[in-house]
Amino acid sequence: MLIQHEYLHQVSFEEVMEFVENAIADDSRELVVYHGTCSEFEKINLNKSHNRRDFGKGFYTTILQSQSKEWAYRLSLREKRNDYYVYEFLFEEVPSLKVKRFDRLNEEWLEFIKENRIKGGLQHQYDVVIGPVADDNTMQTVQLYMSNILTATEAVERLKYSKVNNQVSFHSEKSLSCLRFIRRMKYDA
């Protein structure tokens, strides 16, 4: 599946996940993913991952090129960089990978994020995790849940009205071996 549509940014998260499932379910088992950054690199280094991320330490991508470009642009502003980059990869899912999919914002997703954000490191045994992003649109509710101000049920009820982005995170060398570099696009900040 080499063609993806930017319109995915305009549809519900369930529709995005349906696209991901259909793309992975086709015979090629391939999915184009994007990574936005301010740094040029030749090899992915999992040790450079930030701690306390939604799905734990890992290499984070998205199926939306526009989302990765926006993340890279914001990062360039924070780090006062003149350039930023969007890397395009082809992910080929193989049966030996342990893949966790969150198809919607639910209590399991909330608890998974809570564990990884509070404890840090990697709080699971998955090679790849696919699901919603706890970003600016959802973070206030997620933080209220993590602080035990909202119950999981209350948080999920609030989150169902949020516009969410997606992420595909890679957590093992085995998963990185299933990523093939396609190209790097450079942008001026």
Side-chain angles (χ1 to χ4, degrees):
M1 178 77 193
L2 293 176
I3 299 174
Q4 289 175 250
H5 305 283
E6 282 299 310
Y7 78 84
L8 287 172
H9 199 65
Q10 309 299 319
V11 299
S12 72
F13 185 75
E14 287 77 18
E15 291 170 299
V16 169
M17 287 309 295
E18 181 180 342
F19 172 83
V20 171
E21 290 302 318
N22 289 339
I24 290 176
D26 78 21
D27 289 338
S28 69
R29 313 273 304 160
E30 294 177 341
L31 184 66
V32 177
V33 294
Y34 301 92
H35 174 77
T37 183
C38 290
S39 304
E40 287 187 87
F41 60 86
E42 297 301 319
K43 185 175 190 266
I44 299 166
N45 183 348
L46 290 173
N47 293 324
K48 290 192 174 201
S49 172
H50 293 280
N51 201 14
R52 302 185 189 278
R53 297 295 185 214
D54 289 356
F55 299 155
K57 289 186 80 158
F59 181 70
Y60 282 76
T61 67
T62 176
I63 64 169
L64 302 171
Q65 184 177 2
S66 61
Q67 180 181 321
S68 65
K69 186 176 178 183
E70 181 181 326
W71 285 346
Y73 175 70
R74 286 182 180 182
L75 187 60
S76 73
L77 294 177
R78 255 195 332 262
E79 295 188 4
K80 297 179 176 27
R81 300 277 190 94
N82 293 327
D83 302 317
Y84 59 97
Y85 305 89
V86 172
Y87 287 75
E88 184 176 331
F89 296 93
L90 184 62
F91 168 48
E92 182 177 356
E93 185 177 344
V94 296
S96 62
L97 286 177
K98 291 171 68 178
V99 179
K100 175 65 177 169
R101 289 180 178 80
F102 293 100
D103 58 356
R104 64 187 186 283
L105 299 167
N106 59 22
E107 292 180 22
E108 181 188 14
W109 174 80
L110 274 172
E111 192 58 33
F112 195 85
I113 286 176
K114 181 179 179 179
E115 287 293 304
N116 284 293
R117 285 189 170 258
I118 288 176
K119 294 181 180 175
L122 195 60
Q123 301 302 314
H124 60 81
Q125 299 298 315
Y126 298 106
D127 297 303
V128 179
V129 181
I130 301 170
V133 178
D135 61 7
D136 296 344
N137 297 320
T138 59
M139 189 45 75
Q140 181 182 15
T141 301
V142 170
Q143 287 177 334
L144 290 171
Y145 168 70
M146 288 171 55
S147 302
N148 297 315
I149 294 169
L150 292 177
T151 66
T153 304
E154 291 168 331
V156 168
E157 183 62 26
R158 286 179 67 166
L159 288 169
K160 74 180 184 181
Y161 300 106
S162 299
K163 177 186 170 196
V164 295
N165 289 316
N166 74 82
Q167 57 192 345
V168 181
S169 58
F170 299 84
H171 302 280
S172 66
E173 292 298 325
K174 182 174 162 183
S175 67
L176 293 181
S177 71
C178 297
L179 275 179
R180 184 170 51 89
F181 174 77
I182 297 173
R183 64 183 172 148
R184 176 179 55 227
M185 296 160 277
K186 181 178 179 180
Y187 300 94
D188 296 326

